Amino acid sequence: MVQRQFPKPVELLELMQFKKPELNGTKRRLDAAYTISDLRKIAKRRTPKAAFDYTDGAAEGETSLARARQAFEDVEFHPDVLRPAADVDTSVEILGGPSALPFGIAPTGFTRLMQTEGEVAGAGAAGAAGIPFTLSTLGTTSIEGVKAANPHGRNWFQLYVMRDREISYALAKRAAEAGFDTLQFTVDTPVAGARLRDKRNGFSIPPQLTLGTIVNAIPRPWWWIDFLTTPKLEFASLSATGGTVGDLLNAAMDPTISYEDLKVIREIWPGKIVIKGVQNVEDSKRLIDHGVDGIILSNHGGRQLDRAPIPFHLLPTVVREVGKDATIMVDTGIMNGADIVAAMALGAKFTLIGRAYLYGLMAGGRAGVDKTIEILRSEIERTMKLLGVASIAELEPRHITQLTRLAPMPRSDA
């Protein structure tokens, strides 16, 4: 029979430790975030619908994005046991330089519309973490501003070849002069994808005030205060604005880009050049044969051609066909450090995060981007330890199985 007694105050005090309240609202929010999905929920609460949906949404039915995320979830890991990995090395060499983690920050357009610190927060956080930061042609911070925010880190520049070629060439030259070491030549945007959330929200650059946006802004006054009390948005490549993002892209982009443009860019750019937006094996082989320094398997985060190939599914075939020594990178759909580990196990040399970074930015500015990197770092390290690998180099295809819900039907011309 259990013996009962009156609680002793001294023993109660030992059992109950009262947590000191956190008075800093940003820190309190971020401390409660344990995953990128948690950051997304915070971002959604704190950001006007139009700006959040621009980040969160994709093209048309958003099938490409959903499939890309599902592909990472449909992974089975195969750990090794009795293989001590108490300390893991997450560093890699990529495109002639180091990265403390096997991922960098992808280029994102109109970033200061999500949160006013924008690319400055991303570049500063990347520099502090020892990973590369990529500035978009459609970024809202100048090339020189990013360099100032990340003076000693690795800065990359993403280039769209526009109708006015001289604008693109001038941007590439400025980035080279500022010490950016890698150029991402993006090839999957001859025209803008149909981003229906933006159209339904009436999302435009600059934002237009309507009754709907005013009503949506009422519970989020901090966003509008930040937007209205910080410097005017400026774009590295757009001299005129007004209209949806799709309108701006269609006005600026040129559907006639070709290998001739790649040749010109190669002559202009003195550093490493990678091609972003590759979506099949044949193009992968052709580009490597043309001497580019690497390719990024990407469907633009699902924001261009809906129902495009899933980059993560394409990865092992491309690695096999072009050779494991080629620099093959991957983006789209990464929401967990385990996703990054899986990609590296299948032969990727590096990965890039876009929305995950922006969710952190919207949740808490620079501190939120730091939190994104911290979450992914922790997930990478834990996954590696549970797999029994002490370094990224030890990851092999045998460590994972890609499960698939989508099996291709035989082609009629096969």
Side-chain angles (χ1 to χ4, degrees), residues 131-211:
I131 65 175
F133 174 84
T134 313
L135 174 64
S136 169
T137 293
L138 301 180
T140 45
T141 300
S142 70
I143 289 167
E144 294 75 17
V146 165
K147 179 64 176 180
N150 186 22
H152 306 298
R154 297 189 67 189
N155 294 309
W156 296 354
F157 186 69
Q158 176 268 337
L159 184 71
Y160 288 119
V161 171
M162 293 178 284
R163 294 177 190 273
D164 186 342
R165 296 292 198 269
E166 290 305 318
I167 293 177
S168 297
Y169 301 159
L171 287 170
K173 291 173 182 176
R174 275 176 60 193
E177 290 170 0
F180 285 49
D181 65 76
T182 296
L183 185 79
Q184 292 183 16
F185 178 19
T186 299
V187 295
D188 59 2
T189 315
V191 297
R195 301 173 190 181
L196 300 184
R197 288 206 219 181
D198 294 348
K199 293 183 178 181
R200 290 172 179 137
N201 289 328
F203 181 59
S204 62
I205 308 293
Q208 301 294 311
L209 290 176
T210 65
L211 179 60

Coordinates of all heavy atoms in Angstrom, one line a residue, residues 131-211:
I131 N 28.2 30.4 -44.4 CA 27.6 29.8 -45.6 C 27.4 30.9 -46.7 O 27.4 32.0 -46.4 CB 26.3 29.1 -45.3 CG1 25.2 30.1 -44.9 CG2 26.5 28.0 -44.3 CD1 23.9 29.5 -44.6
P132 N 27.3 30.5 -48.0 CA 27.1 31.5 -49.0 C 25.7 32.1 -49.0 O 24.7 31.5 -48.6 CB 27.3 30.7 -50.3 CG 28.0 29.4 -49.9 CD 27.5 29.1 -48.5
F133 N 25.7 33.4 -49.5 CA 24.4 34.1 -49.6 C 24.3 34.5 -51.1 O 25.3 34.9 -51.7 CB 24.4 35.3 -48.8 CG 23.1 36.2 -49.0 CD1 21.9 35.9 -48.4 CD2 23.2 37.2 -49.9 CE1 20.8 36.6 -48.7 CE2 22.1 38.0 -50.2 CZ 20.9 37.7 -49.6
T134 N 23.1 34.3 -51.7 CA 22.9 34.7 -53.1 C 22.0 35.8 -53.2 O 20.8 35.8 -52.7 CB 22.3 33.5 -53.9 OG1 23.1 32.3 -53.6 CG2 22.4 33.7 -55.4
L135 N 22.4 36.9 -53.9 CA 21.6 38.0 -54.2 C 20.9 37.9 -55.6 O 21.5 37.5 -56.5 CB 22.4 39.3 -54.2 CG 21.7 40.6 -54.7 CD1 20.6 41.0 -53.7 CD2 22.7 41.7 -54.8
S136 N 19.6 38.1 -55.6 CA 18.8 38.0 -56.8 C 18.9 39.2 -57.7 O 19.1 40.4 -57.2 CB 17.3 37.7 -56.5 OG 16.5 37.9 -57.6
T137 N 18.8 39.1 -59.0 CA 18.7 40.2 -59.9 C 17.6 41.1 -59.5 O 17.6 42.3 -59.6 CB 18.5 39.7 -61.3 OG1 19.7 39.1 -61.8 CG2 18.2 40.9 -62.3
L138 N 16.5 40.5 -58.9 CA 15.3 41.2 -58.5 C 15.3 41.5 -57.0 O 14.3 41.7 -56.4 CB 14.1 40.4 -58.9 CG 13.9 40.2 -60.4 CD1 12.6 39.4 -60.6 CD2 13.9 41.5 -61.2
G139 N 16.5 41.5 -56.4 CA 16.7 41.8 -55.0 C 16.4 43.3 -54.7 O 16.4 44.1 -55.6
T140 N 16.1 43.5 -53.4 CA 15.8 44.9 -53.0 C 16.9 45.5 -52.2 O 16.7 46.5 -51.5 CB 14.5 44.8 -52.2 OG1 14.5 43.8 -51.3 CG2 13.3 44.7 -53.1
T141 N 18.1 45.0 -52.3 CA 19.3 45.6 -51.7 C 20.4 45.6 -52.8 O 20.5 44.6 -53.6 CB 19.8 44.8 -50.5 OG1 18.8 44.8 -49.5 CG2 21.1 45.4 -49.9
S142 N 21.1 46.6 -52.9 CA 22.1 46.7 -54.0 C 23.2 45.7 -53.8 O 23.4 45.1 -52.7 CB 22.7 48.1 -54.0 OG 23.6 48.3 -52.9
I143 N 24.0 45.4 -54.9 CA 25.1 44.6 -54.8 C 26.1 45.0 -53.7 O 26.6 44.3 -52.9 CB 25.8 44.5 -56.2 CG1 24.9 43.7 -57.2 CG2 27.2 43.9 -56.1 CD1 25.3 43.9 -58.6
E144 N 26.3 46.3 -53.7 CA 27.3 46.9 -52.8 C 26.7 46.8 -51.3 O 27.5 46.7 -50.4 CB 27.5 48.4 -53.2 CG 28.3 48.5 -54.5 CD 27.4 48.3 -55.7 OE1 26.2 48.4 -55.6 OE2 28.0 48.1 -56.8
G145 N 25.4 46.9 -51.2 CA 24.8 46.8 -49.9 C 24.9 45.4 -49.3 O 25.2 45.3 -48.1
V146 N 24.8 44.4 -50.1 CA 25.0 43.0 -49.7 C 26.5 42.8 -49.3 O 26.8 42.2 -48.3 CB 24.6 42.0 -50.7 CG1 25.1 40.6 -50.5 CG2 23.0 42.0 -50.8
K147 N 27.4 43.3 -50.1 CA 28.8 43.2 -49.8 C 29.1 43.9 -48.4 O 29.9 43.3 -47.6 CB 29.6 43.9 -50.9 CG 31.2 43.8 -50.6 CD 31.7 42.4 -50.6 CE 33.2 42.4 -50.5 NZ 33.7 41.0 -50.4
A148 N 28.5 45.0 -48.2 CA 28.7 45.7 -46.9 C 28.2 44.9 -45.7 O 28.7 44.8 -44.6 CB 28.1 47.1 -46.9
A149 N 27.0 44.2 -45.9 CA 26.4 43.4 -44.9 C 27.2 42.1 -44.7 O 27.1 41.5 -43.6 CB 25.0 43.0 -45.3
N150 N 27.9 41.6 -45.7 CA 28.7 40.3 -45.6 C 30.0 40.5 -46.2 O 30.4 39.9 -47.2 CB 27.9 39.2 -46.3 CG 28.5 37.8 -46.1 OD1 29.3 37.6 -45.2 ND2 28.2 36.9 -47.1
P151 N 30.9 41.4 -45.6 CA 32.1 41.8 -46.2 C 33.2 40.7 -46.3 O 34.0 40.8 -47.2 CB 32.6 42.9 -45.3 CG 32.0 42.7 -44.0 CD 30.6 42.0 -44.3
H152 N 33.1 39.7 -45.4 CA 34.2 38.7 -45.4 C 33.7 37.3 -45.8 O 34.4 36.4 -45.8 CB 34.8 38.7 -44.0 CG 35.4 40.0 -43.5 ND1 36.3 40.7 -44.2 CD2 35.0 40.8 -42.5 CE1 36.6 41.8 -43.6 NE2 35.7 41.9 -42.5
G153 N 32.4 37.2 -46.0 CA 31.8 35.9 -46.4 C 31.7 35.8 -47.9 O 32.1 36.6 -48.7
R154 N 31.1 34.6 -48.3 CA 30.9 34.3 -49.7 C 29.6 34.9 -50.2 O 28.5 34.5 -49.7 CB 31.0 32.8 -49.9 CG 32.4 32.2 -49.5 CD 32.5 30.8 -49.9 NE 32.5 30.7 -51.4 CZ 32.4 29.5 -52.0 NH1 32.3 28.4 -51.3 NH2 32.5 29.5 -53.3
N155 N 29.7 35.7 -51.2 CA 28.5 36.3 -51.8 C 28.4 35.8 -53.3 O 29.4 35.8 -54.0 CB 28.5 37.8 -51.8 CG 28.4 38.4 -50.4 OD1 27.5 38.0 -49.7 ND2 29.4 39.3 -50.1
W156 N 27.2 35.3 -53.6 CA 27.0 34.8 -55.0 C 25.9 35.7 -55.6 O 25.1 36.4 -54.9 CB 26.4 33.4 -55.0 CG 27.4 32.4 -54.5 CD1 28.7 32.6 -54.1 CD2 27.2 31.0 -54.3 NE1 29.3 31.4 -53.7 CE2 28.4 30.4 -53.8 CE3 26.1 30.2 -54.4 CZ2 28.5 29.1 -53.5 CZ3 26.2 28.8 -54.1 CH2 27.4 28.3 -53.6
F157 N 25.9 35.8 -56.9 CA 24.9 36.7 -57.6 C 24.1 35.8 -58.6 O 24.6 35.1 -59.4 CB 25.6 37.8 -58.3 CG 24.6 38.8 -58.9 CD1 23.9 39.6 -58.1 CD2 24.5 38.9 -60.3 CE1 23.0 40.5 -58.7 CE2 23.6 39.8 -60.9 CZ 22.8 40.6 -60.0
Q158 N 22.8 36.0 -58.6 CA 21.9 35.3 -59.5 C 21.5 36.3 -60.6 O 21.1 37.4 -60.4 CB 20.6 34.8 -58.8 CG 19.6 34.2 -59.7 CD 18.5 35.2 -60.2 OE1 18.3 36.2 -59.6 NE2 17.9 34.9 -61.3
L159 N 21.7 35.8 -61.8 CA 21.5 36.7 -63.0 C 20.4 36.2 -63.9 O 20.3 35.0 -64.3 CB 22.8 36.8 -63.8 CG 22.7 37.7 -65.0 CD1 22.7 39.2 -64.6 CD2 23.9 37.5 -66.0
Y160 N 19.4 37.1 -64.2 CA 18.5 36.9 -65.3 C 19.0 37.6 -66.5 O 19.5 38.8 -66.4 CB 17.1 37.5 -64.9 CG 16.3 36.7 -63.9 CD1 15.9 37.4 -62.7 CD2 15.8 35.4 -64.2 CE1 15.1 36.7 -61.8 CE2 15.1 34.8 -63.2 CZ 14.7 35.4 -62.1 OH 14.0 34.7 -61.1
V161 N 18.9 37.0 -67.7 CA 19.3 37.7 -68.9 C 18.0 38.4 -69.4 O 17.0 37.7 -69.8 CB 19.9 36.8 -70.0 CG1 20.0 37.5 -71.3 CG2 21.2 36.3 -69.5
M162 N 18.0 39.7 -69.4 CA 16.7 40.4 -69.7 C 16.7 40.9 -71.2 O 17.7 40.8 -71.9 CB 16.6 41.6 -68.7 CG 16.4 41.1 -67.3 SD 16.2 42.4 -66.1 CE 18.0 42.8 -65.9
R163 N 15.6 41.5 -71.6 CA 15.5 42.0 -72.9 C 16.6 43.0 -73.2 O 17.2 43.0 -74.3 CB 14.1 42.6 -73.1 CG 13.0 41.6 -73.0 CD 11.6 42.3 -73.2 NE 10.5 41.4 -72.8 CZ 9.9 40.6 -73.7 NH1 10.3 40.6 -75.0 NH2 8.9 39.9 -73.3
D164 N 16.8 43.9 -72.3 CA 17.9 44.8 -72.4 C 19.2 44.2 -71.9 O 19.4 44.2 -70.7 CB 17.6 46.1 -71.6 CG 18.6 47.2 -71.9 OD1 19.7 46.9 -72.3 OD2 18.3 48.4 -71.6
R165 N 19.9 43.5 -72.8 CA 21.1 42.7 -72.3 C 22.1 43.6 -71.6 O 22.7 43.1 -70.6 CB 21.8 42.1 -73.6 CG 20.9 41.1 -74.3 CD 20.7 39.9 -73.5 NE 20.3 38.7 -74.3 CZ 19.0 38.4 -74.6 NH1 18.0 39.2 -74.2 NH2 18.8 37.3 -75.3
E166 N 22.2 44.8 -71.9 CA 23.2 45.7 -71.2 C 23.0 45.8 -69.7 O 23.9 46.0 -69.0 CB 23.3 47.0 -71.9 CG 23.9 47.0 -73.3 CD 25.3 46.3 -73.3 OE1 26.1 46.6 -72.4 OE2 25.5 45.5 -74.3
I167 N 21.7 45.8 -69.3 CA 21.4 45.8 -67.9 C 22.0 44.6 -67.2 O 22.6 44.7 -66.2 CB 19.9 45.9 -67.7 CG1 19.3 47.3 -68.2 CG2 19.5 45.7 -66.2 CD1 17.8 47.4 -68.0
S168 N 21.7 43.4 -67.8 CA 22.2 42.2 -67.2 C 23.8 42.2 -67.2 O 24.4 41.8 -66.2 CB 21.7 41.0 -68.0 OG 20.3 40.9 -68.0
Y169 N 24.4 42.6 -68.3 CA 25.8 42.6 -68.3 C 26.4 43.5 -67.3 O 27.4 43.2 -66.6 CB 26.3 43.0 -69.7 CG 25.8 42.1 -70.9 CD1 25.8 42.6 -72.2 CD2 25.4 40.8 -70.6 CE1 25.4 41.8 -73.2 CE2 25.0 40.0 -71.7 CZ 25.0 40.5 -72.9 OH 24.5 39.7 -74.0
A170 N 25.8 44.7 -67.1 CA 26.3 45.7 -66.1 C 26.2 45.1 -64.7 O 27.1 45.4 -63.9 CB 25.6 47.0 -66.3
L171 N 25.1 44.4 -64.4 CA 24.9 43.9 -63.1 C 26.0 42.8 -62.8 O 26.6 42.7 -61.7 CB 23.5 43.3 -63.0 CG 22.4 44.2 -62.8 CD1 21.1 43.5 -63.0 CD2 22.4 45.0 -61.5
A172 N 26.3 42.0 -63.8 CA 27.3 40.9 -63.7 C 28.7 41.6 -63.4 O 29.4 41.1 -62.5 CB 27.3 40.0 -64.9
K173 N 29.0 42.6 -64.1 CA 30.3 43.3 -63.9 C 30.4 43.9 -62.6 O 31.4 43.9 -61.9 CB 30.5 44.3 -65.0 CG 30.7 43.7 -66.4 CD 30.7 44.8 -67.5 CE 30.8 44.2 -68.9 NZ 30.8 45.2 -70.0
R174 N 29.3 44.5 -62.1 CA 29.3 45.1 -60.8 C 29.5 44.1 -59.7 O 30.2 44.3 -58.7 CB 27.9 45.9 -60.5 CG 27.9 47.3 -61.0 CD 26.5 47.9 -60.8 NE 26.1 47.9 -59.4 CZ 24.8 48.1 -59.0 NH1 23.9 48.3 -59.9 NH2 24.6 48.2 -57.7
A175 N 28.8 42.9 -59.8 CA 29.0 41.9 -58.8 C 30.4 41.4 -58.8 O 31.0 41.1 -57.7 CB 28.0 40.7 -59.1
A176 N 31.0 41.2 -60.0 CA 32.4 40.8 -60.0 C 33.3 41.8 -59.4 O 34.2 41.4 -58.6 CB 32.8 40.6 -61.5
E177 N 33.1 43.1 -59.6 CA 33.9 44.1 -59.0 C 33.8 44.1 -57.5 O 34.7 44.5 -56.8 CB 33.6 45.5 -59.6 CG 34.0 45.6 -61.1 CD 33.4 46.8 -61.8 OE1 32.7 47.6 -61.1 OE2 33.7 47.1 -63.0
A178 N 32.6 43.8 -57.0 CA 32.3 43.8 -55.6 C 32.9 42.5 -54.9 O 32.7 42.4 -53.7 CB 30.8 43.9 -55.3
G179 N 33.4 41.6 -55.7 CA 34.0 40.4 -55.1 C 33.1 39.2 -54.9 O 33.5 38.2 -54.3
F180 N 32.0 39.2 -55.6 CA 31.1 38.0 -55.6 C 31.8 36.9 -56.4 O 32.4 37.2 -57.4 CB 29.8 38.4 -56.3 CG 28.8 39.2 -55.4 CD1 29.2 40.4 -54.8 CD2 27.5 38.8 -55.3 CE1 28.4 41.1 -54.0 CE2 26.6 39.5 -54.5 CZ 27.1 40.7 -53.9
D181 N 31.8 35.7 -55.8 CA 32.7 34.7 -56.4 C 32.0 33.7 -57.4 O 32.6 33.0 -58.1 CB 33.5 33.9 -55.3 CG 32.6 33.1 -54.4 OD1 32.1 32.1 -54.9 OD2 32.4 33.5 -53.3
T182 N 30.7 33.7 -57.3 CA 29.9 32.8 -58.2 C 28.7 33.4 -58.8 O 28.0 34.2 -58.1 CB 29.5 31.6 -57.3 OG1 30.7 30.9 -56.9 CG2 28.6 30.6 -58.1
L183 N 28.4 33.1 -60.0 CA 27.3 33.6 -60.7 C 26.3 32.5 -61.0 O 26.7 31.4 -61.5 CB 27.7 34.2 -62.1 CG 26.5 34.9 -62.8 CD1 26.3 36.3 -62.3 CD2 26.9 35.1 -64.3
Q184 N 25.0 32.6 -60.6 CA 24.0 31.7 -60.9 C 23.2 32.2 -62.1 O 22.4 33.2 -62.0 CB 23.1 31.5 -59.7 CG 23.7 30.8 -58.5 CD 22.7 30.6 -57.4 OE1 21.4 30.7 -57.6 NE2 23.1 30.3 -56.2
F185 N 23.4 31.7 -63.3 CA 22.7 32.1 -64.5 C 21.4 31.3 -64.5 O 21.4 30.1 -64.7 CB 23.6 31.8 -65.7 CG 23.0 32.1 -67.0 CD1 21.9 33.0 -67.2 CD2 23.5 31.5 -68.2 CE1 21.3 33.3 -68.4 CE2 23.0 31.8 -69.4 CZ 21.9 32.7 -69.5
T186 N 20.3 32.0 -64.3 CA 19.0 31.3 -64.2 C 18.3 31.2 -65.6 O 18.2 32.2 -66.3 CB 18.1 32.1 -63.3 OG1 18.7 32.1 -62.0 CG2 16.7 31.4 -63.2
V187 N 17.9 30.0 -65.9 CA 17.5 29.7 -67.3 C 16.0 29.2 -67.4 O 15.6 28.8 -68.5 CB 18.4 28.7 -68.0 CG1 19.8 29.2 -68.1 CG2 18.4 27.3 -67.2
D188 N 15.3 29.2 -66.3 CA 13.9 28.6 -66.3 C 12.9 29.7 -66.3 O 11.7 29.4 -66.0 CB 13.8 27.6 -65.1 CG 13.9 28.3 -63.8 OD1 14.2 29.5 -63.7 OD2 13.9 27.6 -62.8
T189 N 13.2 30.9 -66.6 CA 12.2 32.0 -66.5 C 12.2 32.8 -67.8 O 12.4 34.0 -67.8 CB 12.6 32.9 -65.3 OG1 12.9 32.1 -64.2 CG2 11.4 33.8 -65.0
P190 N 11.9 32.2 -69.0 CA 11.8 32.9 -70.2 C 10.5 33.9 -70.1 O 10.5 34.9 -70.7 CB 11.6 31.9 -71.3 CG 11.1 30.7 -70.6 CD 11.7 30.7 -69.2
V191 N 9.5 33.4 -69.4 CA 8.3 34.2 -69.1 C 7.9 33.8 -67.7 O 8.4 32.8 -67.1 CB 7.1 33.9 -70.0 CG1 7.5 34.3 -71.5 CG2 6.7 32.4 -70.0
A192 N 7.1 34.6 -67.1 CA 6.7 34.4 -65.7 C 5.6 33.3 -65.6 O 4.8 33.1 -66.5 CB 6.1 35.7 -65.1
G193 N 5.7 32.4 -64.6 CA 4.7 31.5 -64.3 C 3.4 32.1 -63.8 O 3.4 33.3 -63.4
A194 N 2.3 31.4 -63.8 CA 1.1 31.9 -63.4 C 0.9 31.8 -61.9 O 0.4 30.8 -61.4 CB -0.1 31.2 -64.1
R195 N 1.3 32.8 -61.2 CA 1.3 32.8 -59.7 C -0.1 33.4 -59.3 O -0.3 34.6 -59.1 CB 2.4 33.6 -59.2 CG 3.8 33.0 -59.7 CD 5.0 33.8 -59.3 NE 6.1 33.3 -60.0 CZ 7.4 33.8 -59.9 NH1 7.6 34.8 -59.1 NH2 8.4 33.3 -60.6
L196 N -1.0 32.4 -59.1 CA -2.4 32.8 -59.0 C -2.7 33.5 -57.7 O -3.6 34.3 -57.5 CB -3.3 31.6 -59.2 CG -3.2 30.9 -60.6 CD1 -4.2 29.8 -60.8 CD2 -3.4 32.0 -61.7
R197 N -2.0 33.1 -56.6 CA -2.2 33.8 -55.3 C -2.0 35.3 -55.5 O -2.7 36.1 -54.9 CB -1.3 33.2 -54.2 CG -1.7 31.8 -53.8 CD -1.1 31.6 -52.4 NE -0.6 30.3 -52.1 CZ -0.1 29.8 -51.0 NH1 -0.1 30.6 -49.9 NH2 0.3 28.6 -50.9
D198 N -0.9 35.6 -56.2 CA -0.6 37.1 -56.4 C -1.8 37.8 -57.1 O -2.2 38.9 -56.7 CB 0.6 37.3 -57.2 CG 1.9 36.7 -56.4 OD1 1.8 36.5 -55.2 OD2 2.9 36.6 -57.0
K199 N -2.3 37.1 -58.1 CA -3.4 37.7 -58.9 C -4.7 37.9 -58.0 O -5.4 38.9 -58.0 CB -3.7 36.9 -60.1 CG -2.6 36.9 -61.1 CD -3.0 36.1 -62.4 CE -1.8 36.2 -63.4 NZ -2.2 35.5 -64.7
R200 N -5.0 36.8 -57.3 CA -6.2 36.9 -56.4 C -6.0 37.9 -55.3 O -7.0 38.5 -54.9 CB -6.4 35.5 -55.8 CG -6.9 34.5 -56.9 CD -7.0 33.1 -56.4 NE -7.5 32.2 -57.4 CZ -6.9 31.0 -57.6 NH1 -5.9 30.5 -56.9 NH2 -7.4 30.2 -58.6
N201 N -4.8 38.1 -54.8 CA -4.6 39.1 -53.7 C -4.4 40.5 -54.3 O -4.3 41.4 -53.5 CB -3.3 38.7 -52.9 CG -3.6 37.5 -52.1 OD1 -4.7 37.2 -51.6 ND2 -2.5 36.7 -51.8
G202 N -4.3 40.6 -55.6 CA -4.0 41.9 -56.1 C -2.6 42.4 -55.7 O -2.4 43.6 -55.6
F203 N -1.7 41.5 -55.6 CA -0.3 41.8 -55.1 C 0.4 42.5 -56.2 O 0.6 42.0 -57.3 CB 0.4 40.5 -54.7 CG 1.8 40.8 -54.1 CD1 2.0 41.6 -53.0 CD2 2.9 40.2 -54.7 CE1 3.3 41.8 -52.5 CE2 4.2 40.4 -54.2 CZ 4.3 41.2 -53.1
S204 N 1.0 43.7 -55.9 CA 1.7 44.4 -56.9 C 2.9 45.0 -56.3 O 3.1 45.0 -55.1 CB 0.8 45.6 -57.4 OG 0.4 46.5 -56.4
I205 N 3.8 45.5 -57.2 CA 5.0 46.2 -56.8 C 5.0 47.6 -57.3 O 4.9 47.8 -58.5 CB 6.3 45.5 -57.4 CG1 6.3 44.0 -57.1 CG2 7.5 46.1 -56.9 CD1 6.4 43.6 -55.6
P206 N 4.9 48.7 -56.4 CA 4.8 48.6 -55.0 C 3.5 48.2 -54.6 O 2.5 48.2 -55.3 CB 5.2 50.0 -54.6 CG 4.7 50.8 -55.7 CD 5.0 50.0 -56.9
P207 N 3.3 47.8 -53.3 CA 2.0 47.4 -52.8 C 0.9 48.5 -52.9 O 1.2 49.7 -52.7 CB 2.2 47.1 -51.3 CG 3.7 46.8 -51.2 CD 4.3 47.7 -52.2
Q208 N -0.3 48.1 -53.4 CA -1.3 49.1 -53.5 C -2.3 48.9 -52.4 O -2.7 47.8 -52.0 CB -2.1 48.8 -54.9 CG -1.2 48.9 -56.1 CD -0.7 50.3 -56.3 OE1 -1.4 51.3 -56.3 NE2 0.6 50.5 -56.5
L209 N -2.7 50.1 -51.8 CA -3.7 50.0 -50.7 C -5.1 49.9 -51.3 O -5.5 50.6 -52.1 CB -3.6 51.3 -49.9 CG -2.3 51.5 -49.0 CD1 -2.4 52.8 -48.3 CD2 -2.2 50.4 -48.0
T210 N -5.8 48.8 -50.8 CA -7.2 48.6 -51.1 C -7.9 48.4 -49.8 O -7.3 48.3 -48.7 CB -7.4 47.4 -52.0 OG1 -7.0 46.2 -51.3 CG2 -6.5 47.5 -53.3
L211 N -9.2 48.3 -49.9 CA -10.0 48.0 -48.7 C -9.5 46.7 -48.0 O -9.4 46.6 -46.8 CB -11.5 48.0 -49.0 CG -12.4 47.6 -47.8 CD1 -12.2 48.7 -46.7 CD2 -13.9 47.5 -48.2

